[in-house]
């Protein structure tokens, strides 16, 4: 008579047409070939899916806060360095209430504290383009000057064109204007109103929002006045020249205000001190929060598996093997959490939204 083994008698027979797919069958085959200890390791690593998900969330949140804080800190340092070390090459900028007269210019040229200077003109203006308008500050500077440097949207130095206007990139976006467009500019200067249509000759990456540039040649052509200088930028001999230079410039007719680049940079850095402290605190809090949460879950995991570890010890597993198994589980989970965090962060950075 036929003998049926107990193992065969309890084995389910698949129904015709209900075969297992190729991928699940492959996974099942590979899993059966794994060592028993590795199977135990996989079961332990994913035994509590909710806790595993929460730990991943903690790691992701911690790394997100750290990366965001470091990004803000790096961006702040880049912007200040770009402004004070690359774009503004002068030591002082002086503004006058009216056009500078010949006597003042003669005193400036005769000053031993001044190494070089460049004339400029500034005025408030309104730009009009296809129904949109923007209130801006227009700076007319020397075409081949070296004390003010402009950079294009690719971060490359760009010259001041002889004719036309250079728009600041944020203003260009709001107006939806591009290089090659013609925009209308209206402004008042020396008590008169002017309106001119200008060719957009470039778009500059500018830290000072709403500041647009053109050459003094272009500005003089619009207003038809030979002398339009109402501001001057200076390169001084050294830092010790600031006080005697300030005394000289204060005595000039029509003097309005003076801004020293060194003092401006110190003020900016002083104002950012609280910002830097806040960044450091966020990073420290993120690290502490991540460590406490993950360590707490690790202790809970060990406490819940105390009975399981006892059984494994009874079946012959040594303390060293238990410790290595627990360490391998935590390292595996840590790597998977960090990999998931990198995926989330990378997806966010590659998106079109900030």
């Amino acid at each position: 008579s036929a003998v049926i083994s107990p193992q065969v008698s309890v084995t389910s027979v698949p129904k015709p047409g209900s075969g297992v797919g190729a991928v699940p069958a492959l996974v099942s085959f590979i899993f059966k070939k794994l060592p028993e200890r590795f199977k135990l390791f996989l079961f332990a690593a994913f035994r509590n899916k909710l806790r595993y998900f929460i730990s991943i969330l903690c790691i992701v949140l911690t790394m997100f806060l750290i990366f965001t804080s470091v990004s803000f800190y790096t961006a702040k340092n880049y912007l200040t360095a770009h402004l004070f070390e690359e774009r503004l090459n002068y030591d002082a900028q002086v503004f006058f209430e009216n056009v500078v007269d010949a006597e003042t210019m003669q005193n400036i040229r005769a000053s031993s504290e001044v190494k070089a200077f460049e004339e400029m003109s500034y005025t408030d203006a309104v730009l009009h383009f296809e129904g949109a308008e923007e209130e801006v500050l227009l700076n007319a500077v020397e075409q081949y000057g070296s004390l003010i440097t402009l950079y294009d949207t690719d971060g490359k130095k760009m010259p001041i064109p002889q004719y036309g206007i250079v728009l600041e990139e944020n203003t260009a976006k709001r107006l939806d204007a591009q290089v090659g467009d013609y925009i209308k500019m209206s402004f008042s200067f020396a008590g008169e109103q002017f309106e001119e249509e200008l060719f957009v000759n470039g778009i500059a990456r500018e830290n000072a929002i709403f500041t647009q540039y053109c050459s003094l040649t272009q500005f003089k052509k619009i207003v038809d006045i030979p002398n339009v200088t109402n501001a001057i930028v200076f390169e001084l001999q050294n830092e010790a020249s600031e006080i005697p230079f300030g005394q000289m410039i204060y005595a000039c007719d029509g003097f309005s205000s003076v801004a020293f680049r060194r003092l401006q940079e110190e003020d900016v850095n002083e104002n950012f001190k609280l910002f830097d402290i806040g960044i450091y605190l966020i990073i420290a809090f993120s690290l502490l929060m991540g460590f406490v949460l993950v360590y707490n879950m690790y202790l809970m995991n060990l406490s819940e598996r105390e009975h399981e570890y006892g059984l494994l010890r009874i079946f012959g597993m040594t303390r060293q093997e238990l410790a290595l198994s627990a360490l391998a589980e935590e390292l595996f989970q840590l790597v998977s959490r960090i990999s998931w965090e990198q995926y989330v962060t990378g997806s966010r950075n590659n998106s079109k939204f900030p």
Side-chain angles (χ1 to χ4, degrees):
S1 61
V3 179
I4 300 177
S5 66
Q7 182 180 2
V8 175
S9 65
V10 298
T11 303
S12 60
V13 179
K15 297 179 181 180
S18 61
V20 182
V23 175
L26 179 62
V27 172
S28 177
F29 174 77
I30 294 175
F31 187 78
K32 289 178 181 179
K33 297 297 182 181
L34 294 176
E36 295 299 327
R37 287 186 178 180
F38 194 77
K39 292 179 183 179
L40 180 64
F41 159 71
L42 289 178
F43 280 126
F46 296 101
R47 67 195 305 269
N48 193 323
K49 295 182 177 58
L50 177 60
R51 184 177 301 159
Y52 180 71
F53 172 77
I54 294 176
S55 63
I56 287 181
L57 191 61
C58 293
I59 292 292
V60 169
L61 180 60
T62 299
M63 299 301 292
F64 174 76
L65 288 175
I66 292 175
F67 287 154
T68 303
S69 301
V70 172
S71 297
F72 277 122
Y73 184 79
T74 304
K76 183 268 296 184
N77 289 339
Y78 169 77
L79 289 175
T80 53
H82 173 70
L83 176 62
F84 292 107
E85 297 176 13
E86 299 178 13
R87 199 179 68 82
L88 305 181
N89 304 313
Y90 56 80
D91 296 312
Q93 185 175 21
V94 180
F95 300 93
F96 296 88
E97 296 177 352
N98 300 301
V99 173
V100 181
D101 56 35
E103 182 180 354
T104 300
M105 293 301 301
Q106 184 177 358
N107 293 335
I108 290 174
R109 291 189 177 93
S111 174
S112 60
E113 311 300 335
V114 176
K115 186 176 181 179
F117 69 91
E118 294 175 7
E119 301 177 34
M120 59 180 294
S121 184
Y122 72 96
T123 184
D124 294 325
V126 179
L127 302 181
H128 308 268
F129 181 72
E130 295 183 350
E133 66 177 44
E134 284 286 327
E135 295 182 0
V136 300
L137 176 66
L138 177 67
N139 277 354
V141 298
E142 294 185 9
Q143 183 179 359
Y144 300 108
S146 60
L147 299 184
I148 295 179
T149 305
L150 296 186
Y151 290 81
D152 61 21
T153 52
D154 294 326
K156 300 178 182 178
K157 290 184 179 180
M158 62 181 302
I160 300 294
Q162 183 176 6
Y163 297 105
I165 188 172
V166 176
L167 297 180
E168 179 263 335
E169 63 175 330
N170 293 305
T171 303
K173 289 179 181 178
R174 286 190 292 270
L175 290 173
D176 197 20
Q178 300 177 355
V179 175
D181 292 333
Y182 282 87
I183 64 171
K184 186 179 294 185
M185 180 177 66
S186 57
F187 63 94
S188 61
F189 188 82
E192 297 185 30
Q193 292 289 331
F194 297 92
E195 189 171 286
E196 186 77 10
E197 191 173 53
L198 294 175
F199 175 75
V200 179
N201 215 329
I203 296 178
R205 185 185 65 188
E206 181 65 45
N207 288 338
I209 301 176
F210 307 124
T211 303
Q212 325 301 314
Y213 288 89
C214 72
S215 68
L216 277 174
T217 302
Q218 175 69 85
F219 193 74
K220 289 178 181 178
K221 181 181 178 182
I222 296 173
V223 299
D224 195 21
I225 300 175
N227 181 16
V228 295
T229 303
N230 60 4
I232 306 175
V233 290
F234 295 88
E235 181 183 2
L236 304 181
Q237 296 292 349
N238 47 54
E239 186 176 323
S241 301
E242 290 181 358
I243 294 179
F245 170 79
Q247 294 172 345
M248 182 271 293
I249 210 71
Y250 290 152
C252 293
D253 292 336
F255 167 78
S256 176
S257 63
V258 59
F260 291 99
R261 188 188 66 170
R262 180 182 63 83
L263 298 179
Q264 288 180 319
E265 186 173 4
E266 290 178 358
D267 288 341
V268 169
N269 291 331
E270 184 69 24
N271 293 332
F272 271 119
K273 275 187 177 180
L274 290 178
F275 176 84
D276 293 341
I277 293 174
I279 292 294
Y280 299 147
L281 290 177
I282 290 175
I283 293 176
F285 173 76
S286 301
L287 291 173
L288 180 62
M289 180 186 69
F291 173 78
V292 169
L293 290 174
V294 173
Y295 184 68
N296 182 56
M297 291 181 181
Y298 175 70
L299 291 180
M300 292 174 62
N301 188 38
L302 289 180
S303 176
E304 290 179 355
R305 297 179 62 189
E306 185 176 356
H307 180 67
E308 178 184 334
Y309 288 149
L311 290 176
L312 293 175
R313 288 280 290 144
I314 292 175
F315 289 128
M317 186 174 283
T318 64
R319 292 181 181 273
Q320 184 179 8
E321 289 174 332
L322 280 175
L324 290 176
S325 176
L327 179 61
E329 292 171 16
E330 293 303 320
L331 289 177
F332 174 78
Q333 292 187 19
L334 179 62
V335 170
S336 62
R337 293 164 191 160
I338 294 177
S339 301
W340 176 252
E341 183 277 332
Q342 292 290 341
Y343 170 76
V344 172
T345 305
S347 300
R348 179 182 180 274
N349 291 338
N350 293 331
S351 67
K352 63 180 180 180
F353 299 104

